Amino acid sequence: MKNQNKMERIVNVIALLVILFSAICCVLPFLTHAELEEKTMLSAFGETVELYGKGLYARNSISCAVQAVAQDLVTLVLVIPGMIFSLVMIQKKKVLGQYILTGLFGYMLYTYMSYSFLMFYNDLFLLYVANMILSFYGLVISISILSKSPSVDAVKENLPTRGLRIFLIFSGIAIFLMWIGRIVPTLGKDIAPAGLDNCTTLVIQALDLGVIVPACFVIAYLLKIKHKLGYILGLVIVVKAVTLVTAVLAMAVFMKISGVEVENAMFIIFGIICALSFYYFVSIVRKMWRII
């Protein structure tokens, strides 16, 4: 019990640091206005890329920068308050708060891992890396805490999973097909896939195909065989889906407003995933509120 309490205190400290660093990372881009003299560049694939040209995201393409601005807003108005709320719940001994916090660590890990490798170097680089590291260990320790909690057995006995498994399989297949459809046509042709702009590689697609898609299928299988870890990661990935897909849709809207071409499939696929993730999040939280 003493070790468990110590781990919970460590997670709380990590969460507070992530909240602080994330707030700085989200606010500072809106306060910087220095502009580049040259706002276009030639990519390694010979394409002329229009740069954002101002503030911390100046050297990123317009598409990449407006997506970052949209994600910063979602992090600021949805995720950071969510982390604060989950910490309050934990202080009130509501185990549900630990589940939500674990899911939000997953969102922060994905977000700042992508920022660390995708964004052109800027003054926030060390905070991106710090948030990535802190969120990783926050996620791992939180999963360890939940694995020792008796609440998981109560959830396992009372939470239906068939619909959630179907949602995870659908999401994994949809995301896989969407990104493969963008990548495969460029193979062997020495051309840049859509969205590469002035970046060196497809960071988001690598994270989705290498982490998110396999996670969808693995968690669905763990739920099917009623493995304890499946009930922990099931809610974690739903919380991450609610926040991250909301951010993706915000990115698409900001891109459209900025005149960047956006595939209709992106709105359709992520719109469906977003609606379903919110449905399952509300449904699961309502059931777990009664159970634990």
Side-chain angles (χ1 to χ4, degrees):
M1 180 62 72
K2 184 181 291 186
N3 287 339
Q4 188 82 346
N5 291 337
K6 186 180 293 184
M7 289 172 69
E8 289 175 1
R9 286 196 295 271
I10 291 171
V11 166
N12 291 345
V13 172
I14 290 174
L16 290 172
L17 288 173
V18 170
I19 289 169
L20 174 62
F21 293 163
S22 299
I24 296 171
C25 290
C26 291
V27 172
L28 203 57
F30 295 100
L31 303 179
T32 53
H33 305 288
E35 295 198 20
L36 297 178
E37 291 184 9
E38 181 59 52
K39 296 186 179 181
T40 61
M41 68 171 290
L42 193 67
S43 76
F45 283 87
E47 297 180 337
T48 300
V49 178
E50 191 172 353
L51 304 180
Y52 192 57
K54 59 184 178 181
L56 285 176
Y57 302 145
R59 290 175 175 81
N60 284 92
S61 68
I62 291 177
S63 173
C64 184
V66 297
Q67 289 181 69
V69 170
Q71 184 149 16
D72 289 341
L73 283 173
V74 171
T75 302
L76 194 61
V77 304
L78 179 63
V79 180
I80 290 176
M83 292 189 77
I84 295 170
F85 177 70
S86 64
L87 287 174
V88 171
M89 291 181 70
I90 291 170
Q91 292 302 310
K92 293 182 177 180
K93 306 301 181 184
K94 293 294 295 184
V95 183
L96 182 57
Q98 192 69 60
Y99 281 90
I100 294 173
L101 181 63
T102 306
L104 294 177
F105 273 134
Y107 167 91
M108 290 295 198
L109 172 60
Y110 182 100
T111 297
Y112 288 103
M113 186 181 294
S114 65
Y115 276 41
S116 296
F117 300 120
L118 180 64
M119 305 306 293
F120 267 67
Y121 177 80
N122 63 50
D123 291 341
L124 293 176
F125 175 75
L126 289 178
L127 287 185
Y128 296 158
V129 175
N131 262 349
M132 177 178 67
I133 295 168
L134 289 168
S135 298
F136 172 76
Y137 286 107
L139 177 64
V140 171
I141 297 172
S142 293
I143 291 173
S144 176
I145 290 171
L146 289 173
S147 69
K148 296 178 176 64
S149 171
S151 67
V152 181
D153 294 322
V155 172
K156 184 177 177 180
E157 291 297 321
N158 296 278
L159 188 68
T161 62
R162 185 172 182 272
L164 179 57
R165 296 200 313 269
I166 293 171
F167 163 66
L168 290 172
I169 293 170
F170 165 78
S171 299
I173 293 172
I175 294 170
F176 175 81
L177 291 177
M178 183 175 65
W179 292 147
I180 287 297
R182 177 179 294 189
I183 296 167
V184 169
T186 69
L187 299 180
K189 297 180 180 178
D190 195 31
I191 58 175
L196 183 62
D197 295 333
N198 58 338
C199 297
T200 58
T201 193
L202 299 173
V203 174
I204 299 301
Q205 286 75 10
L207 288 174
D208 285 353
L209 293 173
V211 180
I212 303 302
V213 170
C216 287
F217 295 123
V218 170
I219 295 170
Y221 176 73
L222 291 174
L223 287 170
K224 181 178 176 60
I225 64 173
K226 297 186 180 298
H227 193 285
K228 189 174 184 179
L229 189 58
Y231 291 87
I232 297 172
L233 297 181
L235 181 57
V236 168
I237 200 166
V238 168
V239 172
K240 181 185 175 298
V242 165
T243 49
L244 192 61
V245 178
T246 299
V248 170
L249 288 177
M251 293 175 201
V253 171
F254 272 58
M255 288 165 70
K256 201 80 170 177
I257 293 171
S258 301
V260 178
E261 185 178 348
V262 184
E263 299 169 353
N264 290 330
M266 187 173 180
F267 283 105
I268 295 169
I269 292 172
F270 283 106
I272 293 171
I273 294 174
C274 186
L276 289 173
S277 61
F278 268 97
Y279 168 79
Y280 282 110
F281 174 74
V282 173
S283 177
I284 291 171
V285 165
R286 286 176 64 184
K287 287 185 174 69
M288 289 184 67
W289 189 271
R290 293 195 297 267
I291 295 168
I292 57 176

